[in-house]
Structures are given as C-alpha cells and as structure tokens.
Amino acid sequence: MTWFTFPADNLLCWWISISITVWFTLLFAFIIVPAILGVSLGIRRLYMRTLLKIFEWATSRMEMGAKEKNQQLYKPYSSGIIAKEPPSSLQQGIQQLRGSASCLRSEPEFEMADIFYFCRRGVESIVDDEVTKCFSAQELESWNLLTRSDYNFRHISLRLTVLWGLGLLIRYGVLLPLRVTLAVTGISLLLVLTTLVGFLPNRELRFFLSEKVHLLCYRICVRALTAIITYHHRENKPKNGGICVANHTTPIDVIILANDGCYSMVGQVHGGLMGMIQRAMVKSSPHIWFERSEVKDRHLVAKRLGDHVADKTKQPILIFPEGTCINNTSVMMFKKGSFEIGCTVYPVAIKYDPRFGDAFWNSSKFGMVNYLLRMMSSWAIVCSVWYLPPMNREEGEDAVQFANRVKAAIAAQGGLVDLIWDGGLKRAKVKDAFKEEQQKLYSKVLVGEHEQADDKHLEDENPEEDKSHRDSANGQ
Amino acid sequence: MGASQTRSGKYQDLADKTGFSLEQIQNLYKRFQQLSGNEETISKENLDSIPALANNPIRKQIVDAFFDKRNQHQGEVGSFEEIGFEQFLMVMSHFRPPTLKTTEEEKEALRKEKLRFLFNMHDTDNDGTITLEEYRKVVEELLSKSGAIGQEAAKAIADAAMLEVASTNVPHMAPDDFYEGITFEHFEQILKGLEMESRMNIRFLDVDTTTMRCGKTTS
C-alpha cells in the first residue's frame, strides 16, 4: 500500500511547492518591487475598469429582468421623509401660531396653543434629523456584487446569481489571502526597517532613510487593500511646519494620505500590535503619541503640537479634527484644538467611491479586525484626495470661525454636506444647555412684548415684526 | 423576493389603518430602522438620543407620547416599555394632514384626534382632566428656570391660564366652587378658533424614484 500512495504524495508536495514559489515570485515582481521603486504598473486601474464593465453589464441585466417582470428595481431615493417648512425662528413660529387663533386676551401672553409649535417641531426631529443619518453606512443605489444594499439582490437570472457566487469566491478565496499576505509583509517590513534605521547615528541619513522606509511600507499596505487613489492638486501638498487636516471616514485614511507624503501622526498610545507599530515608528521619525492621561490635559497637548510645528525640519502633523469616523456623506464639527496653534493649515478632502466597497468604519457595529477583513474582501477601495490651498487664521478670527472656514472648504471640494453638529454625538447625548437655550428663547418671546425698554438686546432678529405685532395688539 | 411580498402585504394593512401611503410607510420604516439600530423595537433611549430633539423644551412629553397606550386608540391605558413599527406609525398618523379627498366629518374627526393627542400629553395620570398641577408641569418645562421668567412667574402663568379656562367654560361658578380641571370638552372649547389643520400637520413625502446608473454616477 505504501508504494501506491508514495508517488501521489510526492506529486502533491511537488505541486504545492511549485505553486507557492510561483505565487511568491509573482507577488514579488508585480507588487513589492514596484512598491519599493514607487512605480505603478497600472494593474489596479485596469482591474478597476474591468470591474466597472462587469457591474454595468450586471446592472443592465437586472434592469432588463425587472422590466420584464414589471417590478421596481431601484431603491427609492428620497432626499427627506418630510417636507420641512422654511426655517423660521422660534418667535416667528409662535406668532404665526397665535395669529390664527382668536386671542382671548388683549395683550398676547402665554397661550395654550403655544405648545403646538414645540410638539410639531419635536415630532419632525424624530422623523428626520441630520445627525442620525451620518452614522449609518451610506445606502447604495446600484448593485456592486457585494449586495450591500440587499433590497436589490434578488434572483433575477441564473447567470447573475452565478456571477455573484463567483464574485464571492474570488473575493474570499483569491483576493483575501493575497491581501492578507501583503499586509503581513508590509507591517513586518515596517517594524523591522524602522527599528534598523533607528540605530543609525547620522541624523540626516536617518531622516532620509526613514522617509523612504515609511513610503515603501505604506505603498505595500495600499496594495494590500487594492486602494486606487487619485491625488489632485499635488502642488498644495503639506509642507514642514504645518498641520494637515482631513475629514475622517476610516482608519485607512492614514494609509491613504501617508502613501503620498510623510506625516507625523498624533494619537493615543495603544497596546498590542498597534503599540508595537507605534514604538517602531517613533524610533526613526518624530510622531506624537500621548498617554491616555495626557489626552485630557489640553494645554499639554497643545504645547507638544506647538513645539513640533515650530521646528521647521519636522514633518507636517496629520490631524483629523472631527474626532470620530463619519460615513463620508458629510463633514461634522471640527474640534478647535488644532486650529488654536497658529500655524499654516493644509486642508485635505478625501472622498471614497462607494461602488467598490464601503470604507466607513461603524465602530459600534464592527470591531477593528472584523472591519479590516471586510475591507480586504471588498473589490477595491477607490478614492479621490484633493489637496486644498493652505489657509491661515485671519485677523479678528477666532479658532472656531477658522475651523468652520476650513471645514466649509473641505466639504465644498469633496461634495460633502457641511454640518454644525459634533461628531461626539455618536456616543454622547446633547448637553442640556441646548434645551436651556430654547427655553430661554421662548421665555423672551413671552416677556419681550411687555418690556419695551429691554427689547433692544432681547429681540435682535425682527424689530419691525415686533413693532407691528405690538401695534396690532394695542389696536385690539 | 418572498420576503418583500409578505412585507408589502403587511404594509397594506398598516396603510389602511393609519392612512399613510405605501411609499410613506416604506420611508418611515427606514427611519424606524435607523432609530432602533436595526432592532424590532424602539425604546425611550433610542428617541432620547436624537440631538435635534434634545433642543426641544417638551421633549420628555413628546417621547412619552410615543409610548402612551392611549394614543394607540385601542382603549388601553398605561405606557409601553418599547414600541414596534406599528405603534410608531399610529402615533405619527396623528400628524397627517387632511387630503383633498377628506370629507368634512373626517376632518372633524382628524381634528378631534389631534386635540386628543395634545390632551393626553397634558393629562399624565389619565383621569380625564388636566389639573392645575399637571398644567403647571407643562408650563414649567416650556419656560426656562432662570433668566427672563423665573419659577414663580411660570406658576403664575399656569394659574392664570387655568383661571381663564374656568371662567370661559363655567361662567357662573360660585366663589367657593373648586375647579376640578380642564376636561376634554373644555379643552376643545378653548382651542376652538385655532386653525389646527396646518399647525399640527407634517407633510410626509411620497418618493420620486430616481434611477442612478452604475458607472455613470458623478462621484
């Protein structure tokens, strides 16, 4: 029996070893060497075009199939659930309300009907508000063979289902192992090479080499995700002694930006693998890692950032002022800390193309590892990066206004919605101070009609309307 | 495909019961999913976490109204711990505007429903009357505890309003009579002139299906 199985075993071993060798050679030749040299062979763009063609074909098949069966194919795209009235101030709203009721008293005071206004506003916010929409993944209207929008996946034809199954097989069977291998290679190279470079005595040489090493490893990581990035306006790339701010969708943003230039990262010290990577990176170039306790001390943070930018030989700092991941449809409030330092700010807008994979990290839904696996089993990550012209704080502008100006520029460039809400609302509740504000406003509406002398600072919005209201009230 | 068919059958039931159109129900279902975090039911915490609602002075009353069994029109009293999509829709239906096809009686009925909704919001112990205490509580929520109107003034306003209702509805009250509270009929009487059809309506949109083609979207 043994002699019968032996050649089969031999054949199997031989076959496996040959395929592994071929696999690694291809990997090396097509991916690692170009990464080292910083050259792109154009394979990923070809891949992207092929994928697009397949998606178009699949979509047209689905449309034909749906037409035959007379069904609605596309998920209804709605820009809102309710028709909102044009935004009016609390005062106008209440006056409109009262104007329609027969006033029981000659002087308008508190009316029982006032509560209608707040009731309606409240229910409107329950039905449709700006913030909750930002923290769930964007809905896709077309079908990208990942069936993320599962409304659209139906059994239209055998061919499409087979295609979907094939897609699944390719993504999990071929692409995922390939990418995991690359990622592991990239990270281990980063660890090893940065540690080695850290040992060099000569400062100039160390800087030079560390730049090369970082770029190399980030390039490998980019290929590990099959990220196809288009950089626009590279002449505005951040320079030394400045701060680079960008909108935040996912931790991968860091890799995408660092692929094109060297930045100093800012962040909390982690444990485990992340901690190891952080310690290795710091050996060769100056990054700013905070202990957890220090993060709370804002002055310390500001001082360290200030010291870093003052040194013109150090790389620009990369900061995400939103503080949390948003789903890439809008930009939320920028925290003012980084804008108080008083140096040049280089805004960068990042926009992901949702057809190829959803890059948003919903940290309440997926952990980090789960998220990375999802990323590595999508088709590709296609994104555009725009480098915007540098901005400085102007005379008489405080940090908050400056932050809002930068935010508006980023939102405009990336085609995102500019929101005033704080990204921290993902986890925290709105402070009661907001409710107090509304209560105060309403109180002023009641009181302001009596005390005319105090009106000047109470009602700053519609002095004419007030007067006419008072006249009509007196006329009654 | 099978799943969406039974879903549309269920939606048809809901459409008949609440008066929303199928598209509106689908939209509201999407919103329900967002609020509940893809669960089957919503709890008070889910509604409390809406930032725009946090601005509202009477947010507690509004959230409670969603969980109030009286607003489900099934004759029950008390409150739910969590509500499902059907209950959510029932409460929303109080805010539907009348359409062109609504008859006069239906409009009257709608108006009465809206008034009932507001009455329930004030009458928290469900004894059929809004007592002075209950009314004071609502007024206090609306007004700031500091600033232009203090707590004493808020109480005075509530008292004055109650007195007004009493004098309008029971004009020949003897000086020793005690006014129990605002009943639903008195409530209706006071707000008789108010044109509520536009004040307590929210226009729920039907949807336009715009098709976005794969590969030709502007990104």
Side-chain angles (χ1 to χ4, degrees):
Chain A
M1 283 285 260
T2 48
W3 65 264
F4 186 71
T5 55
F6 186 68
D9 266 354
N10 208 3
L11 198 65
L12 196 64
C13 288
W14 184 78
W15 189 79
I16 288 179
S17 57
I18 288 283
S19 59
I20 290 183
T21 321
V22 168
W23 178 249
F24 273 105
T25 321
L26 281 176
L27 205 74
F28 194 71
F30 281 109
I31 296 178
I32 297 193
V33 168
I36 295 177
L37 299 174
V39 158
S40 171
L41 285 178
I43 298 181
R44 281 174 292 155
R45 296 212 182 257
L46 182 65
Y47 168 68
M48 182 173 92
R49 279 198 290 272
T50 322
L51 270 183
L52 269 178
K53 287 215 178 62
I54 298 180
F55 289 166
E56 273 179 34
W57 176 82
T59 316
S60 63
R61 291 285 311 181
M62 283 180 71
E63 281 170 14
M64 276 181 0
K67 221 179 283 182
E68 280 165 25
K69 297 189 188 160
N70 215 11
Q71 279 166 353
Q72 204 183 59
L73 177 65
Y74 290 99
K75 194 172 188 122
Y77 178 67
S78 60
S79 58
I81 303 180
I82 50 179
K84 289 217 172 120
E85 311 264 319
S88 60
S89 68
L90 185 125
Q91 203 184 343
Q92 285 170 326
I94 299 248
Q95 279 164 358
Q96 271 176 0
L97 194 64
R98 287 180 181 174
S100 69
S102 54
C103 283
L104 296 169
R105 279 165 287 199
S106 55
E107 280 169 350
E109 283 182 346
F110 174 77
E111 288 282 343
M112 286 188 78
D114 285 346
I115 198 172
F116 278 71
Y117 175 78
F118 291 106
C119 191
R120 178 158 147 242
R121 283 273 297 272
V123 178
E124 268 181 5
S125 2
I126 290 184
V127 176
D128 195 358
D129 84 306
E130 293 172 319
V131 176
T132 316
K133 288 198 278 220
C134 289
F135 292 129
S136 56
Q138 197 180 9
E139 282 296 336
L140 205 61
E141 276 79 17
S142 60
W143 189 50
N144 71 346
L145 294 175
L146 280 175
T147 67
R148 285 255 160 81
S149 94
D150 55 2
Y151 177 88
N152 279 336
F153 176 64
R154 315 166 183 199
H155 179 82
I156 300 279
S157 73
L158 184 63
R159 228 186 282 187
L160 278 181
T161 316
V162 165
L163 193 67
W164 178 79
L166 200 66
L168 204 67
L169 207 67
I170 293 180
R171 277 189 295 123
Y172 281 93
V174 175
L175 293 177
L176 183 61
L178 169 67
R179 287 174 183 160
V180 169
T181 323
L182 276 176
V184 165
T185 318
I187 294 180
S188 27
L189 269 181
L190 182 71
L191 286 174
V192 166
L193 288 177
T194 47
T195 320
L196 284 179
V197 167
F199 285 135
L200 288 175
N202 187 349
R203 202 158 169 260
E204 299 295 323
L205 189 62
R206 210 168 53 199
F207 268 9
F208 178 70
L209 275 184
S210 95
E211 231 186 80
K212 298 290 171 219
V213 160
H214 274 237
L215 278 177
L216 161 67
C217 298
Y218 282 120
R219 276 188 219 124
I220 298 184
C221 288
V222 157
R223 281 158 175 79
L225 292 165
T226 318
I228 302 165
I229 311 171
T230 315
Y231 295 99
H232 302 268
H233 304 303
R234 290 175 99 149
E235 64 273 9
N236 291 328
K237 238 165 74 164
K239 303 190 180 45
N240 285 0
I243 294 187
C244 176
V245 303
N247 58 319
H248 200 31
T249 307
T250 148
I252 294 178
D253 286 341
V254 170
I255 300 180
I256 290 187
L257 285 180
N259 182 40
D260 198 39
C262 285
Y263 299 95
S264 293
M265 319 283 175
V266 179
Q268 272 185 8
V269 171
H270 286 103
L273 181 65
M274 275 302 296
M276 258 170 48
I277 298 177
Q278 283 178 334
R279 283 192 294 275
M281 284 165 72
V282 145
K283 290 200 179 96
S284 56
S285 70
H287 297 283
I288 303 178
W289 305 124
F290 291 105
E291 294 293 333
R292 213 177 182 89
S293 52
E294 282 175 29
V295 171
K296 298 243 164 74
D297 187 0
R298 282 183 43 204
H299 291 298
L300 193 64
V301 170
K303 184 169 182 313
R304 278 183 77 173
L305 289 176
D307 288 341
H308 188 105
V309 295
D311 184 351
K312 294 293 178 212
T313 63
K314 291 198 175 150
Q315 301 147 341
I317 302 181
L318 178 60
I319 289 187
F320 296 104
E322 280 164 321
T324 184
C325 293
I326 316 290
N327 74 348
N328 209 228
T329 56
S330 36
V331 183
M332 299 189 96
M333 188 179 95
F334 276 7
K335 299 203 195 309
K336 65 179 185 330
S338 22
F339 297 92
E340 280 170 341
I341 297 178
C343 59
T344 318
V345 167
Y346 297 89
V348 175
I350 308 178
K351 179 90 177 96
Y352 290 86
D353 188 339
R355 288 173 293 172
F356 294 93
D358 178 23
F360 168 54
W361 182 32
N362 190 346
S363 53
S364 50
K365 236 175 151 184
F366 309 112
M368 185 57 141
V369 178
N370 203 347
Y371 170 71
L372 282 176
L373 280 178
R374 273 168 65 97
M375 278 300 100
M376 290 195 191
S377 58
S378 337
W379 289 109
I381 295 177
V382 179
C383 61
S384 293
V385 174
W386 287 273
Y387 292 108
L388 298 169
M391 289 182 167
N392 278 303
R393 195 158 87 178
E394 283 165 12
E395 289 294 322
E397 203 182 30
D398 71 350
V400 175
Q401 289 165 334
F402 182 37
N404 285 336
R405 196 158 59 92
V406 173
K407 179 161 68 90
I410 291 182
Q413 180 64 269
L416 305 163
V417 176
D418 187 0
L419 292 181
I420 55 156
W421 293 100
D422 185 352
L425 290 173
K426 201 184 194 180
R427 292 184 190 88
K429 294 232 173 100
V430 176
K431 293 189 275 235
D432 269 340
F434 283 96
K435 178 174 159 185
E436 263 291 304
E437 274 304 307
Q438 286 284 305
Q439 285 175 324
K440 279 197 181 134
L441 267 179
Y442 181 58
S443 314
K444 283 173 190 168
V445 169
L446 295 187
V447 170
E449 273 117 25
H450 293 298
E451 285 147 27
Q452 301 179 12
D454 293 334
D455 271 356
K456 300 209 177 41
H457 66 92
L458 280 181
E459 266 90 48
D460 49 350
E461 292 178 44
N462 301 314
E464 268 89 13
E465 200 174 347
D466 249 8
K467 234 170 54 161
S468 66
H469 195 82
R470 271 199 298 276
D471 288 341
S472 67
N474 290 335
Q476 273 183 357
Chain B
M1 201 134 97
S4 64
Q5 269 187 343
T6 52
R7 222 203 266 171
S8 58
K10 210 170 59 171
Y11 284 174
Q12 192 54 53
D13 283 340
L14 286 173
D16 296 333
K17 226 197 272 190
T18 57
F20 284 117
S21 72
L22 283 178
E23 290 92 5
Q24 287 167 342
I25 292 185
Q26 274 167 355
N27 259 349
L28 285 169
Y29 187 66
K30 193 171 80 160
R31 178 64 179 175
F32 183 81
Q33 294 279 64
Q34 262 182 357
L35 289 175
S36 70
N38 289 324
E39 303 273 327
E40 291 289 319
T41 58
I42 288 186
S43 67
K44 285 192 186 172
E45 283 76 35
N46 292 123
L47 288 180
D48 275 335
S49 62
I50 300 174
L53 187 62
N55 269 355
N56 201 306
I58 51 167
R59 68 165 179 238
K60 186 174 171 305
Q61 277 79 2
I62 295 176
V63 172
D64 286 343
F66 274 84
F67 291 83
D68 192 339
K69 282 188 183 166
R70 290 174 291 177
N71 290 329
Q72 300 295 325
H73 299 302
Q74 283 174 349
E76 295 177 348
V77 292
S79 62
F80 294 106
E81 286 292 319
E82 297 187 333
I83 51 171
F85 183 51
E86 192 174 320
Q87 284 95 7
F88 183 71
L89 270 188
M90 274 305 289
V91 177
M92 284 296 172
S93 67
H94 287 98
F95 288 85
R96 256 186 332 108
T99 64
L100 296 165
K101 291 188 254 161
T102 330
T103 63
E104 276 308 310
E105 295 113 30
E106 282 174 350
K107 276 194 192 159
E108 232 352 89
L110 268 177
R111 188 194 159 81
K112 213 171 168 140
E113 253 184 44
K114 293 187 211 276
L115 277 174
R116 188 86 225 179
F117 183 81
L118 276 171
F119 187 81
N120 287 343
M121 211 188 263
H122 287 85
D123 181 20
T124 43
D125 60 2
N126 192 35
D127 57 358
T129 56
I130 303 178
T131 62
L132 186 60
E133 275 313 308
E134 287 170 340
Y135 200 67
R136 263 190 204 152
K137 255 181 60 174
V138 177
V139 173
E140 269 171 23
E141 289 284 341
L142 282 174
L143 298 172
S144 164
K145 292 197 173 62
S146 62
I149 298 188
Q151 206 159 4
E152 287 307 313
K155 258 205 198 144
I157 288 178
D159 291 347
M162 284 294 277
L163 191 60
E164 173 121 13
V165 177
S167 59
T168 324
N169 282 298
V170 191
H172 306 296
M173 214 161 68
D176 288 337
D177 276 354
F178 178 63
Y179 185 55
E180 292 286 333
I182 312 177
T183 61
F184 186 55
E185 287 73 29
H186 293 175
F187 194 69
E188 271 185 302
Q189 181 65 22
I190 282 278
L191 295 172
K192 198 160 63 163
L194 185 67
E195 193 247 312
M196 209 180 342
E197 279 62 43
S198 56
R199 298 307 150 200
M200 215 160 104
N201 292 333
I202 297 178
R203 284 194 295 136
F204 291 91
L205 293 174
D206 282 329
V207 228
D208 291 326
T209 46
T210 59
T211 56
M212 294 186 74
R213 298 203 169 281
C214 173
K216 296 182 185 104
T217 52
T218 51
S219 50

